[in-house]
């Protein structure tokens, strides 16, 4: 991945050659060891790359390839139990955003760490994006952003509570710690929650219902569906939406935003961050400058140099692909996704 420039990126054209498909589905899957090999082989045979997570609770991930390749993989996934009507979010990319294909077996497709929570048993009330404004504008609604702190810093809905969680695993503890302040002794409040693409909200509303709350709602399709369908003039969204792919962040209409990514700590960086003397492209940013020693910064500098050399040769520097530090706890995706 080439480090972002200071200039806003342009949206990929609709006829860009690479199709990127983000998907998730809560469903009962068994014998994961038998499901994985043919799925991985089909992806590789069709030149599809990305990451897919398989767990007993379902499937989650993002893949990229040609239209025919993606169609072949999706057709196979739809033969899995409960996946016949799988919904997929598509976008186009000018170049392949992934270097390899990974199919991984996990305990959860979005890690909350609450083994008794099952969105297939009970989940909150879905709210279409067209109806979301009225719900969250109601003074009787408590609005909670279920995403992580670095995501919320990029943008959120006006008036939403920020749990300041570093990981989705931290959400249950945060709610239990603040339950009395949120719920009180009176009638149970109406709670509306949202996340990037919807998967974390399905689990978080299931969690709150298990905690004894019934008036729990979540944004259907997540922030991305809202930004895609609600006109900017009517929107209550402020800022941009962090996404787990090469776009880094998007705005209304899903147009690529102005944020870049620090390749040292994997945190989003704004134009103001990039203007800071603590920001050195590929090496440090205001968030991680004091958390990295000279040896680490030297390693980042060498990686940046190799990337530039490869770029000048018209080659892809595979070493430039950094660990997916947000992947396993973030839920919405292990790679570019919803």
């Amino acid at each position: 991945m080439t480090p972002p420039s200071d200039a806003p990126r342009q949206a990929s054209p609709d006829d860009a050659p690479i199709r990127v498909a983000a998907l998730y589905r809560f469903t009962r899957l068994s014998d994961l060891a038998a499901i994985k090999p043919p799925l991985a082989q089909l992806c590789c045979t069709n030149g599809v790359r990305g990451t897919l997570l398989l767990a007993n609770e379902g499937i989650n991930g993002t893949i990229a390839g040609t239209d025919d390749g993606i169609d072949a993989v999706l057709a196979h996934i739809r033969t899995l139990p409960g996946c016949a009507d799988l919904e997929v979010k598509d976008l186009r990319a000018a170049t392949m955003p992934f270097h390899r294909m990974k199919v991984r077996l996990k305990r959860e497709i979005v890690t909350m760490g609450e083994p008794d929570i099952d969105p297939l048993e009970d989940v909150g009330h879905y709210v279409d994006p067209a109806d979301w404004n009225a719900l969250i504008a109601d003074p009787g609604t408590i609005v909670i952003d279920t995403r992580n702190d670095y995501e919320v810093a990029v943008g959120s809905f006006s008036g939403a509570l920020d749990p300041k969680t570093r990981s989705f695993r931290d959400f249950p503890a945060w709610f239990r710690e603040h339950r009395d302040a949120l719920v009180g002794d009176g009638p149970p409040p109406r709670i509306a929650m949202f996340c990037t693409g919807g998967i974390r909200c399905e689990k978080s509303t299931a969690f709150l219902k298990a905690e004894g709350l019934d008036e729990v709602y979540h944004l259907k399709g997540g922030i991305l569906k809202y930004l895609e369908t609600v006109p900017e003039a009517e929107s209550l969204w402020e800022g941009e939406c962090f996404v787990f792919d090469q776009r880094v962040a998007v705005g209304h209409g899903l147009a690529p935003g102005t944020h870049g990514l620090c390749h040292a700590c994997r945190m989003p960086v704004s134009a103001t961050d990039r203007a800071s003397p603590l920001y050195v492209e590929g090496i440090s940013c205001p968030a991680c400058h004091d958390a990295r020693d000279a040896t680490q910064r030297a390693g980042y500098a060498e990686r940046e140099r190799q990337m530039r050399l490869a770029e000048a040769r018209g080659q892809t520097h595979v070493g430039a692909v950094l660990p997916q530090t947000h992947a396993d706890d973030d839920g919405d995706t292990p790679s570019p996704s919803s």
Side-chain angles (χ1 to χ4, degrees):
M1 183 186 296
T2 301
S5 66
D6 289 332
R9 294 166 300 282
Q10 298 300 311
S12 298
D14 292 339
D15 60 351
I18 302 299
R19 178 182 172 190
V20 184
L23 59 100
Y24 79 87
R25 181 74 170 185
F26 284 106
T27 185
R28 308 276 189 234
L29 295 180
S30 59
D31 200 2
L32 300 178
I35 294 175
K36 176 181 175 179
L39 178 57
Q41 183 60 52
L42 184 65
C43 290
C44 293
T45 299
N46 284 275
V48 170
R49 301 177 186 175
T51 303
L52 291 171
L53 304 183
L54 294 170
N56 292 128
E57 67 178 10
I59 184 170
N60 175 31
T62 304
I63 53 177
T66 64
D67 287 306
D68 289 344
I70 295 297
D71 283 341
V73 174
L74 293 180
H76 178 80
I77 292 174
R78 289 188 171 109
T79 67
L80 299 177
C83 293
D85 56 350
L86 176 77
E87 293 185 6
V88 178
K89 296 182 179 72
D90 285 327
L91 65 95
R92 310 299 300 191
T95 58
M96 170 60 75
F98 306 116
H99 288 279
R100 56 186 64 85
M101 183 68 221
K102 296 182 288 184
V103 180
R104 302 174 62 190
L105 304 186
K106 306 283 288 183
R107 287 189 297 271
E108 302 175 70
I109 58 172
V110 52
T111 304
M112 176 179 264
E114 294 283 328
D116 295 331
I117 299 303
D118 185 357
L120 292 171
E121 291 292 333
D122 200 9
V123 73
H125 307 284
Y126 294 90
V127 180
D128 288 329
D131 301 321
W132 183 250
N133 284 357
L135 175 65
I136 67 173
D138 188 323
T141 303
I142 298 173
V143 186
I144 302 175
D145 193 330
T146 65
R147 300 172 304 149
N148 300 331
D149 52 5
Y150 55 88
E151 299 172 80
V152 180
V154 174
S156 189
F157 282 107
S158 176
L161 293 179
D162 175 11
K164 300 187 185 301
T165 50
R166 181 66 177 174
S167 161
F168 189 53
R169 295 181 184 90
D170 300 332
F171 183 80
W174 172 85
F175 177 79
R176 287 166 177 150
E177 180 181 351
H178 296 86
R179 181 186 178 115
D180 290 343
L182 292 169
V183 178
D185 298 325
R190 183 190 306 116
I191 297 179
M193 297 189 286
F194 61 92
C195 61
T196 309
I199 188 172
R200 280 177 281 188
C201 288
E202 293 215 36
K203 270 211 168 173
S204 56
T205 58
F207 168 73
L208 260 62
K209 297 204 76 173
E211 291 285 304
L213 300 176
D214 185 58
E215 288 291 300
V216 184
Y217 301 82
H218 57 101
L219 178 57
K220 186 176 183 180
I223 300 163
L224 296 183
K225 192 65 175 178
Y226 181 93
L227 293 177
E228 181 183 11
T229 58
V230 175
E232 183 173 0
E234 301 172 11
S235 175
L236 297 181
W237 180 262
E238 297 179 345
E240 297 173 353
C241 177
F242 179 84
V243 290
F244 299 89
D245 61 40
Q246 75 279 8
R247 297 170 298 173
V248 183
V250 298
H252 290 90
L254 302 186
T258 59
H259 282 74
L261 198 69
C262 174
H263 282 187
C265 66
R266 303 290 283 167
M267 291 293 106
V269 288
S270 65
T272 300
D273 293 330
R274 294 194 294 274
S276 167
L278 300 180
Y279 177 78
V280 181
E281 190 171 16
I283 300 172
S284 67
C285 73
C288 71
H289 177 79
D290 292 334
R292 300 293 190 271
D293 60 29
T295 299
Q296 289 172 310
R297 285 195 289 270
Y300 298 149
E302 176 60 20
R303 180 187 61 207
E304 185 73 11
R305 188 180 76 86
Q306 293 296 333
M307 288 169 58
R308 295 308 179 195
L309 289 173
E311 187 178 87
R313 295 191 298 266
Q315 299 173 341
T316 299
H317 177 49
V318 176
V321 180
L322 304 181
Q324 292 284 342
T325 55
H326 311 316
D328 294 339
D329 49 59
D330 261 346
D332 274 308
T333 82
S335 42
S337 186
S338 58

